Amino acid sequence: MAQQDRDQQVSDEFVDDVTDAKEREAAHRERGTSRPITVVGNPVLHKECKDVTAFDDALAQLIDDMFASQRTAEGVGLAANQIGVDLKVFVYDCLDDEGVRHVGAVCNPVLDELPAGRRVLDDSNEGCLSVPGAYAELPRPDYAVVRGQDAKGEPIVVQGTGYFARCLQHETDHLYGYLYIDRLSKRDRKDALKQMAEREPRYPVVAND
């Protein structure tokens, strides 16, 4: 196989989440209903979510609601458990480091293990809608590949670089019960929670009992 053919095969493997990004996000959002965001301490955020097995109208509505909720909270990614739903699905509306907008939804995501040569760490700041008002530096690979299914159950593969790679890793983490603060040192985690306590959320949240 010629190098050009190999490059085309690699390119074809990944979902096109760029074309009509603005229009697709707007359509999801207009069909959806915004829901309040669950925050750290809510049990649904701290356990692995259930696999999506029914690719039906209820799932489509959930995805629409997630896009609406994400826009209300001014986020770039949102996992289902962040609106209290115990299912492995996340949505995203995120720019990469080149300013290209990516919009999509992934069910049952699994991150690829990267070869050593692709594991270049980026230690940029990270935040989370479920830890409102808090930010901390967190090293993550600047490239990510997520495999899963779309809203109809068809296999998809999503790749991201830079900020978008961070988003894909962050949202996949959510669905396995991890918040970004769980990957921080004890001191940095304590500082993030202090930041959260000192600031009022700018969007509706679900108060923990």
Side-chain angles (χ1 to χ4, degrees), residues 18 51 58 78-79 82 86 102 132 148 156 164 175 188 191 193:
V18 172
D51 289 346
L78 188 75
Q82 290 184 274
D86 184 9
H102 299 262
I156 55 171
F164 182 39
L175 301 177
D188 288 345
D191 179 65
L193 292 173

Side-chain angles (χ1 to χ4, degrees), residues 15 20 29 33 37 52 59 62 110 119 133 170 189 197 203:
V15 68
D20 298 327
R29 177 165 39 88
T33 299
I37 304 297
V52 175
L59 176 65
L62 171 62
V110 177
R119 288 186 58 83
H170 179 110
R189 186 179 193 276
Y203 42 81

